[in-house]
Amino acid sequence: MGESSSTGTWRRAGFAGAAIGVLAAGAAAGVAVERLTVGRSVRQKARLALDATGPYGGLRGTPGRAFADDSTVLYYEVDEVEDDAPPARRRRLFGRKEPAPVTVVFSHGYCLNQDSWHFQRAALRGLVRTVHWDQRSHGRSGLGVAQSGPDGVPVTIDQLGRDLKAVLDVAAPEGPLVLVGHSMGGMTIMALAERYPEFVRDRVVGVAFVGTSAGKLGEVSYGLPIAGVNAVRRVLPGVLRALGSQAELVERGRRATADLFAGLIKRYSFASKDVDPAVARFAERMIESTPIDVVAAFYPAFAEHDKAAALPVLQELPVLALAGDHDLVTPSSHTEAIADLLPDAELVIVPDGGHLVMLEHPEVVTDRLADLLVRAGAVPEATAATVAVRPETGNG
């Protein structure tokens, strides 16, 4: 291949990488991004500085591993209750041992990892038992075995529901559960409820849906003209398959278009104009760490996702349904639709909030989550008040 041909391939890979950057943020290509006024070398140095000093994503717990039904290794971490934490309200039954503590289980979204819950994890740390896990092919979990090799199959939301059950069986084998899911993580909870309704009725005492959807994602415009969205939808599955087979080239292109990639992530992750640059870079690092072949393997699942029929399983539970009012990926109307099917749910639409609302407005999400834990009987009101005033960051 000649030099001019190689250059052309490199440029095409750059544009492909930019397009995949949009997908990784949960949207489609075609977004105009403002040009930055400082030089590229200055921006690269700023990114390195943020990577070195940013406090986000450094919280770690006791590690563990579960195995999915296809043998995929699923990584999780547990934060236990500290000895001096305020006691939870518990029923004491004569002649029986102390009941198992409530466990709050956090499921993250597409192209993210368990660290996306950094602020909520910091606020709850030591006050309530929590489990944070990485979805298959994300974070520290293994690549999906069923998706590997020439006979690999795309991921389904049903598979993710079974993965969550495998994690729960090992990380929280007894005691009440509060399930918290963002975007794909919320869909995972719905799949769990559909597949294991009796388990949910027996064990789950509360659910939080954050920026998620019960279906009809094929109607989302991502803030783009309808004609452009329809065109992208027609070609995107084939493009993703092709790019997935050229992962190394595409990843080089992604790195070459880092400035555009960062702008796209900010547009599709946040609505506020004053997002902390360290938070924006933190989100960028999580999303850019997702390989193109993983993006390709997961993407078809969202068009097929339809779990509205599973929501009645949660009818009798305390439920929080929360979304940002400017979420371009899973619009707040989808959260309102969930609340319509669960009329006793608390519906919260966060002003000036985007798709990563738990990073953008952590104080609001943490406050409403603390209230859900009180309603679920997971913590007393005094503990919830402690959560509301705790520092939001830290690597302890």
Side-chain angles (χ1 to χ4, degrees):
M1 182 180 292
E3 181 177 351
S4 60
S5 178
S6 298
T7 301
T9 301
W10 174 266
R11 288 175 178 169
R12 286 194 297 274
F15 288 114
I20 298 308
V22 181
L23 288 172
V31 180
V33 178
E34 295 180 1
R35 292 187 177 275
L36 302 178
T37 58
V38 295
R40 175 173 291 182
S41 63
V42 174
R43 295 194 295 275
Q44 290 174 338
K45 290 178 181 178
R47 288 193 189 95
L48 290 174
L50 289 172
D51 290 347
T53 62
Y56 308 116
L59 298 176
R60 300 270 67 88
T62 302
R65 287 172 174 78
F67 291 90
D69 54 16
D70 67 347
S71 301
T72 298
V73 177
L74 303 171
Y75 177 85
Y76 66 85
E77 293 179 0
V78 179
D79 290 345
E80 299 287 358
V81 178
E82 296 175 355
D83 292 339
D84 59 350
R89 187 184 300 114
R90 293 174 175 174
R91 279 191 312 164
R92 297 183 181 275
L93 302 179
F94 181 78
R96 297 189 183 181
K97 66 178 182 179
E98 192 78 2
V102 175
T103 301
V104 185
V105 183
F106 289 85
S107 300
H108 68 78
Y110 181 44
C111 297
L112 299 172
N113 60 52
Q114 62 177 266
D115 291 339
S116 61
W117 296 107
H118 176 89
F119 290 104
Q120 292 69 43
R121 185 173 188 171
L124 294 175
R125 199 168 175 83
L127 298 176
V128 63
R129 187 176 193 268
T130 60
V131 171
H132 298 260
W133 70 293
D134 292 329
Q135 301 258 20
R136 64 172 51 219
S137 303
H138 290 70
R140 293 172 172 82
S141 284
L143 290 174
V145 172
Q147 287 74 55
S148 302
D151 299 324
V153 297
V155 175
T156 64
I157 301 300
D158 291 336
Q159 175 68 70
L160 303 184
R162 300 197 302 274
D163 288 354
L164 175 55
K165 179 60 162 54
V167 171
L168 295 175
D169 287 345
V170 177
E174 58 180 352
L177 301 168
V178 175
L179 306 179
V180 184
H182 168 248
S183 193
M184 183 177 74
M187 303 173 202
T188 300
I189 294 171
M190 296 175 202
L192 176 83
E194 182 178 65
R195 178 67 184 268
Y196 306 101
E198 292 305 318
F199 173 86
V200 170
R201 293 187 184 101
D202 290 344
R203 297 280 309 279
V204 177
V205 297
V207 174
F209 292 121
V210 179
T212 190
S213 172
K216 299 184 179 180
L217 287 169
E219 300 175 4
V220 176
S221 70
Y222 304 108
L224 302 174
I226 296 299
V229 171
N230 289 338
V232 168
R233 287 198 184 108
R234 283 195 299 271
V235 303
L236 200 49
V239 169
L240 278 174
R241 285 194 297 271
L243 293 178
S245 66
Q246 300 292 327
E248 182 178 353
L249 181 62
V250 174
E251 295 304 328
R252 291 167 63 195
R254 248 165 108 169
R255 292 192 294 271
T257 56
D259 293 338
L260 177 60
F261 184 70
L264 293 171
I265 289 177
K266 188 172 183 180
R267 172 173 170 79
Y268 282 93
S269 298
F270 308 110
S272 307
K273 297 185 182 300
D274 57 349
V275 175
D276 182 347
V279 171
R281 176 57 186 158
F282 172 46
E284 182 185 348
R285 286 203 318 271
M286 282 190 287
I287 294 170
E288 70 186 2
S289 69
T290 308
I292 177 57
D293 50 346
V294 174
V295 176
F298 275 70
Y299 180 76
F302 302 112
E304 299 171 0
H305 169 60
D306 182 0
K307 289 289 181 280
L311 292 176
V313 176
L314 311 174
Q315 190 76 51
E316 305 300 321
L317 298 176
V319 173
L320 169 65
L322 182 148
D325 66 343
H326 284 80
D327 190 332
L328 298 176
V329 180
T330 50
S332 58
S333 59
H334 286 235
T335 294
E336 291 170 351
I338 292 171
D340 288 343
L341 294 170
L342 297 170
D344 292 333
E346 179 189 17
L347 174 63
V348 178
I349 305 300
V350 182
D352 205 24
H355 189 55
L356 300 188
V357 64
M358 68 283 193
L359 292 174
E360 184 175 22
H361 297 288
E363 69 290 343
V364 177
V365 177
T366 301
D367 177 74
R368 301 327 303 151
L369 182 57
D371 184 73
L372 173 70
L373 296 181
V374 172
R375 290 191 286 132
V379 298
E381 291 186 20
T383 301
T386 302
V387 170
V389 299
R390 294 188 86 188
E392 294 172 347
T393 63
N395 297 320

